[in-house]
Structures are given as C-alpha cells and as structure tokens.
C-alpha cells in the first residue's frame, strides 16, 4: 500500500539570492517558524538550519555571479505536510544556481573532538543543518537545487490560527 | 535582528557585551571587534551573551578565530548563553575551548 501523503503551501517568497535580501528570507522563515513550531528548542534549531542553508546558497550565488554574471533567484516556501498521519512543518528552498549536491547521506561528520586550535574553519554550517532538523533532503530538479528542512510537529500543532496562511 | 557590541576593557581582560543576533549578516561585526583586540596577548576574553537570542555557525567561527589567536593559557568565557546556544556549542565540540558561566560574578 502506498504511503498517504498530503501537503499544502502556507506561504512563499522569491528574491535574488544576495545578502541584500537576507532580512527578507530570514523574516519570512522566522515568522512562519514561530507560528508553526511551538517547542522552543525545535524552533531555534529549524531557524539555525535555515540560516545555515540560505547562507550557503547566497555564498554560492555570489560565486555564480562573479563567474557568469548571472543572478540567482531563491524561492522559499513554507509547507504543512501530513505523512502517514504525522504532521510536518517544511521549509523548502529552490534556486537556479549551479548544481551543488551537499551529499547529506554520505557526508563525513565534523570531528567535534578535535582541539579548537587545529580546527578548520569550514564545514560547521552543513553539520549544523544535518544535526538541527528531523529530515533534510536535497534534489536536483528541473535545473534547480531544491532543499527541504522538515520538523515534526506535535500532534496538536497543525493549523495554528485563522488567517495565518500568508 | 541587528547586533550591538559594547567593549569594556579591564586590567587583564576584555568584555564584549553583545545585544542581538549573531548570524551571517552580523558576525562580521563581531569578527571586526575581535580582530581589533590584541588577542595574542589577552589573558581573558569575556563574551557577554545574556542579551543574545541566536548564534549561527558564523558566530561560532568568530569564537574559534578568537580562541585560536589567544595564548594557550588564556581563557575565553561565555557569559549567560541560552540553553539553545549552549546546546549548539556543545554539539559542535567547542565547549572544550570555552568556559560557560551564568554571570560575570562567577568569574
């Protein structure tokens, strides 16, 4: 039997993937996260994962801009998904930048036991993304990088309030 | 949210009092303040995080930068971080490099 899955979009925005739009992206996400994810720790972790992800996308877009003189557009959607009677809040990003597969499944973990003086500066962002949400997915779809950050909702957390779907 | 940073210099320590979020956009401000200190000669650096709600990996990298520049015998105190920030610091293995206290009076 197939898994029962439904989803609906709560809201979405689209803007150039640049630091000029940082607040636009962050405000959209934090507004939706605060309305949908009640648990303080989960709320913080989802925001953390989202910021790390968008930061990476914007950095990559900057490289694209330098190399090809093209603008990268980033679309962000907030979704409610019901998957086998389990409710999820999902932040999906979709961008038309260069193909970049972070290989979440096979990525070597950061050596957290390594002394700080020997630490390389990179790699923390992707590590925090993987550690901070219940599910993280990447797909190269229709010429776009598509990421999903999913946090499981408590049983009574869906549809937080009337008129909050924008 | 914007980040404001006040610098308080003591005899053997410097305290940076942070207010706001330390994220991709604001972490360069923190890094700028850290870079302007003589970290290589500093015995104690205190980051007051009581009024900080959020620290991303960019903020953590600034903390790592400071600790790497400071003498081996130095101490880097984080004052009053939230439980979520402490969890992030612990998860990334950076707790070994800092001393976490609830208030400056504990130092």
């Amino acid at each position: 039997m197939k898994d029962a899955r439904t989803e609906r979009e709560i809201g979405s925005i689209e803007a150039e993937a640049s630091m000029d739009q940082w607040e636009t992206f962050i405000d959209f996400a934090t507004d939706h996260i605060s309305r949908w994810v009640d648990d303080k720790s989960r709320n913080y972790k989802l925001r953390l994962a989202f910021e790390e992800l968008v930061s990476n996308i914007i950095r990559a877009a900057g490289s694209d801009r330098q190399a090809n003189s093209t603008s990268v557009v980033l679309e962000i959607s907030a979704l409610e998904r019901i998957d086998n009677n389990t409710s999820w809040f999902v932040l999906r990003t979709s961008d038309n930048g260069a193909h970049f597969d972070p290989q979440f499944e096979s990525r070597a973990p950061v050596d957290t036991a390594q002394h700080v003086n020997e630490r390389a500066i990179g790699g923390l962002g992707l590590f925090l993304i993987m550690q901070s949400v219940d599910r993280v997915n990447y797909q190269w779809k229709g010429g776009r990088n598509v990421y999903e950050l999913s946090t499981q909702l408590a049983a009574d957390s869906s549809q937080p309030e009337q008129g909050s779907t924008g | 949210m914007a980040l404001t940073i006040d610098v308080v210099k003591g005899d053997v320590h410097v305290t940076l009092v942070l207010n706001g979020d330390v994220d991709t956009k604001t972490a360069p401000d923190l890094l700028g303040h850290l870079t302007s200190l003589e970290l290589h000669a500093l015995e104690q650096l205190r980051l007051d995080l009581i009024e900080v709600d959020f620290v991303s990996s960019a903020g953590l990298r600034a903390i790592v930068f400071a600790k790497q520049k400071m003498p081996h015998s130095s101490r880097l105190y984080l004052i009053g971080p939230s439980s979520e920030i402490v969890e992030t610091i612990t998860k990334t293995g950076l707790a070994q490099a800092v001393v976490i206290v609830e208030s400056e009076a504990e130092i």
Side-chain angles (χ1 to χ4, degrees):
Chain A
M1 198 169 89
K2 275 193 168 183
D3 291 346
R5 176 194 266 202
T6 61
E7 71 177 30
R8 73 181 179 99
E9 186 177 286
I10 305 160
S12 68
I13 55 164
E14 184 179 293
E16 184 181 353
S18 80
M19 283 308 290
D20 292 342
Q21 298 295 334
W22 178 256
E23 280 86 4
T24 306
F25 297 130
I26 299 307
D27 289 351
F28 172 85
T30 52
D31 178 46
H32 283 83
I33 293 169
S34 65
R35 278 193 269 142
W36 282 80
V37 184
D38 290 334
D39 180 83
K40 196 179 168 195
S41 174
R42 283 175 171 272
N43 181 314
Y44 185 93
K45 288 176 185 173
L46 180 54
R47 179 183 167 194
L48 179 61
F50 178 79
E51 289 217 14
E52 301 297 344
L53 176 58
V54 170
S55 174
N56 283 355
I57 292 169
I58 288 175
R59 195 178 313 120
S63 301
D64 281 0
R65 210 165 20 245
Q66 280 193 328
N68 308 316
S69 299
T70 54
S71 291
V72 175
V73 174
L74 172 58
E75 181 185 348
I76 297 170
S77 309
L79 312 165
E80 180 193 21
R81 178 176 293 154
I82 313 288
D83 199 350
N84 277 333
N85 295 321
T86 302
S87 294
W88 299 81
F89 175 75
V90 182
L91 287 173
R92 178 190 289 156
T93 70
S94 171
D95 69 82
N96 62 338
H99 181 199
F100 175 72
D101 186 346
Q103 300 182 313
F104 288 120
E105 302 82 6
S106 58
R107 195 166 193 85
V110 169
D111 181 3
T112 56
Q114 189 179 32
H115 192 275
V116 71
N117 285 346
E118 278 85 51
R119 283 283 181 95
I121 292 298
L124 271 184
L126 286 173
F127 173 76
L128 286 173
I129 291 171
M130 290 189 289
Q131 291 284 316
S132 299
V133 290
D134 295 318
R135 285 182 184 169
V136 56
N137 298 101
Y138 168 81
Q139 279 187 295
W140 175 248
K141 199 172 175 182
R144 299 178 71 87
N145 297 294
V146 180
Y147 294 87
E148 285 189 354
L149 305 174
S150 305
T151 290
Q152 196 170 328
L153 295 171
D156 58 353
S157 293
S158 61
Q159 298 190 352
E161 61 195 69
Q162 286 289 326
S164 66
T165 57
Chain B
M1 185 195 283
L3 176 69
T4 60
I5 301 173
D6 292 322
V7 182
V8 182
K9 293 192 175 177
D11 292 337
V12 295
H13 73 271
V14 174
T15 304
L16 300 187
V17 183
L18 282 64
N19 192 320
D21 292 344
V22 188
D23 62 15
T24 300
K25 186 118 185 181
T26 61
D29 294 344
L30 173 59
L31 198 56
H33 277 82
L34 292 170
T35 304
S36 70
L37 301 174
E38 294 191 20
L39 290 170
H40 65 280
L42 195 60
E43 287 182 36
Q44 262 188 39
L45 175 62
R46 304 176 182 180
L47 300 182
D48 184 331
L49 304 179
I50 291 169
E51 297 298 329
V52 172
D53 290 329
F54 182 83
V55 177
S56 74
S57 70
L60 298 183
R61 280 192 287 274
I63 294 171
V64 170
F65 166 84
K67 186 58 186 163
Q68 288 180 340
K69 298 291 180 194
M70 291 169 69
H72 283 289
S73 59
S74 65
R75 290 202 156 190
L76 199 166
Y77 289 93
L78 302 183
I79 302 167
S82 68
S83 58
E84 290 80 16
I85 293 171
V86 171
E87 187 180 345
T88 307
I89 288 167
T90 304
K91 196 184 288 177
T92 51
L94 299 182
Q96 52 158 306
V98 298
V99 182
I100 297 171
V101 295
E102 285 188 17
S103 72
E104 199 156 16
E106 288 180 39
I107 301 172

